[in-house]
Amino acid sequence: LGCAVSLDRERRVVEVQTEAGRVAISYEQLVIALGSVTRRPSVPGLDEHALGLKDLGDAIRLRNHVLRQIELADAAPHTADRRLTFVVAGAGFSGVEAIAEVSEMAEEALRHHPRLAHVQPRWVLVDGAQRILGQTPDGLARFAERTLARRGVEIVTQTRLASVDADGVGLSDGRRIESATVVWTAGVAA
């Protein structure tokens, strides 16, 4: 782990600052990849109320948050509809995988909460594109869509988040979804 601080192209050496000090690294081929950050458009309330999903820390926070919502719904069943509605914005690889994995985890966790046996969690995948997994061939995207639908995931395309607050989301088509969990996976910027 470190940060490139100098480059000697003639000697083909990159100097890297690490916590242990500076290290000179020789190279044959050098690839410069500056990385990316999560794209956060100016949707009112997005920064304050949505969980991101960019790295392992975000995934752990999401897992803990979903498990906490299940526990809170069990403690106060009258709040279960909102607490067990999960909205994921972004139907690329990250969003599709997140909703599939987290819904499976929640299904297993709900088995340990018999008071919630009558409650069906609601999973909503929202994306502004015409279909999910826009970077894949049509056949694969249709297969993923059918698989998610069989698992009970609602897929809302050609729609964006218009607003996010502590109680849910407003969609660009005018609908409102009451939810205690909104996850943002919709894109990156350099």
Side-chain angles (χ1 to χ4, degrees):
L1 297 175
C3 180
V5 293
S6 71
L7 169 64
D8 184 333
R9 292 175 62 186
E10 287 180 23
R11 290 184 26 233
R12 295 183 156 208
V13 173
V14 174
E15 214 171 284
V16 178
Q17 180 67 48
T18 71
E19 289 186 27
R22 282 193 174 199
V23 178
I25 300 174
S26 299
Y27 65 88
E28 182 178 323
Q29 297 288 323
L30 177 65
V31 176
I32 299 175
L34 300 177
S36 63
V37 295
T38 301
R39 183 178 58 85
R40 304 283 284 207
S42 59
V43 173
L46 182 67
D47 289 336
E48 297 83 6
H49 301 289
L51 299 167
L53 189 57
K54 179 76 173 150
D55 57 28
L56 182 59
D58 291 341
I60 291 169
R61 273 187 290 286
L62 175 58
R63 179 203 62 200
N64 292 344
H65 175 84
V66 169
L67 293 174
R68 180 80 172 136
Q69 294 310 307
I70 292 169
E71 291 170 359
L72 291 169
D74 191 26
H78 65 282
T79 68
D81 285 344
R82 186 176 75 81
R83 292 204 179 279
L84 299 182
T85 295
F86 305 94
V87 178
V88 175
F93 290 120
S94 296
V96 168
E97 184 174 354
I99 205 162
E101 293 294 331
V102 175
S103 66
E104 194 172 293
M105 177 203 66
E107 183 179 317
E108 178 63 32
L110 282 164
R111 292 183 185 153
H112 303 284
H113 296 273
R115 288 191 297 193
L116 297 174
H118 67 285
V119 178
Q120 182 65 39
R122 183 178 180 198
W123 300 91
V124 184
L125 182 62
V126 179
D127 197 278
Q130 288 187 309
R131 67 171 175 87
I132 68 170
L133 295 173
Q135 60 277 65
T136 65
D138 285 340
L140 182 57
R142 284 193 305 274
F143 173 79
E145 188 169 345
R146 285 190 308 270
T147 301
L148 290 173
R150 276 195 307 274
R151 291 183 178 188
V153 175
E154 297 173 43
I155 298 173
V156 181
T157 55
Q158 298 182 4
T159 305
R160 293 180 173 10
L161 296 189
S163 64
V164 182
D165 59 50
D167 296 317
V169 298
L171 301 179
S172 61
D173 64 5
R175 285 186 281 176
R176 170 126 181 112
I177 299 173
E178 298 296 317
S179 174
T181 306
V182 179
V183 182
W184 179 260
T185 70
V188 293

